[in-house]
Amino acid sequence: MRIPAAPLAIAAAIAASVAFVTLAAQAAPAPAFTNIDTWLNSPPLDMAALRGKVVLVDFWTYTCINCLNHLPYVKDWDAKYKDQGLVVVGVHTPEFAYEKSTQNVKDAIQRLQIRHAVAQDNGYGTWKAFRNQYWPAVYLIDKQGRIVYSHFGEGSYGTTEKKIQALLAEPAPAS
């Protein structure tokens, strides 16, 4: 039996809404940066030490066209909000063997003019800790250290930026 497209689309939208509300209602603690091979543009960062900041974790790789299309937004958010407490961490997780080369990643960072921290995750330690499955993938972590928003793939840039602004406006956690 075939279900007409309209009811199917409505059911999918309801399911997506429920999943989003569930994620928002059950914010999970952000995992640590795990088994990072090399830190570029930054000394090693520690999730616990970033409490009180809003953290944007961006999973990417330098040959992914979707990542390259998404990158200008990530760079813009870093430039606009770093002085307000946003910390952007690009987690470079390679899809292909040649993307594991630190020199290739350094060259890409220079060519793409990336100024934010980049964690080279060749062994997929942080990728697995976040249970990530996508390039690009953005996770926003609030000042309490909880993942409160995620987006996979390109798009939703306005929504993501509004969430960054809202998180930055929240009070810092009590010491």
Side-chain angles (χ1 to χ4, degrees):
M1 181 165 119
R2 187 169 175 220
I3 299 171
L8 197 56
I10 292 168
I14 291 169
S17 297
V18 169
F20 177 75
V21 169
T22 301
L23 176 64
Q26 298 175 353
F33 296 112
T34 305
N35 297 331
I36 297 301
D37 298 87
T38 306
W39 283 91
L40 303 163
N41 289 350
S42 171
L45 297 176
D46 178 72
M47 201 61 78
L50 292 172
R51 288 268 163 82
K53 303 268 188 194
V54 174
V55 181
L56 184 152
V57 176
D58 176 42
F59 286 92
W60 71 294
T61 186
Y62 68 86
T63 63
C64 163
I65 189 64
N66 302 99
C67 298
L68 296 175
N69 291 339
H70 159 90
L71 183 60
Y73 296 92
V74 175
K75 290 170 38 179
D76 186 50
W77 295 327
D78 177 57
K80 280 169 72 172
Y81 301 112
K82 67 182 171 189
D83 292 337
Q84 296 176 43
L86 178 68
V87 176
V88 174
V89 180
V91 179
H92 184 273
T93 311
E95 186 174 10
F96 303 107
Y98 61 86
E99 294 172 327
K100 292 181 178 182
S101 162
T102 300
Q103 188 58 55
N104 288 350
V105 177
K106 285 180 179 179
D107 291 346
I109 288 170
Q110 183 177 6
R111 181 178 67 255
L112 298 167
Q113 299 178 336
I114 296 171
R115 303 217 187 318
H116 57 267
V118 174
Q120 191 175 356
D121 188 24
N122 286 349
Y124 284 62
T126 298
W127 175 283
K128 290 175 187 172
F130 273 78
R131 297 183 178 164
N132 188 50
Q133 299 179 31
Y134 309 100
W135 293 278
V138 166
Y139 295 85
L140 286 177
I141 299 154
D142 70 6
K143 294 174 183 178
Q144 307 290 330
R146 301 171 301 194
I147 298 173
V148 293
Y149 174 87
S150 60
H151 180 76
F152 309 115
E154 295 181 57
S156 293
Y157 302 117
T159 302
T160 302
E161 185 164 8
K162 285 179 183 165
K163 187 64 177 177
I164 291 168
Q165 292 167 344
L167 291 171
L168 289 170
E170 290 180 356
S175 298

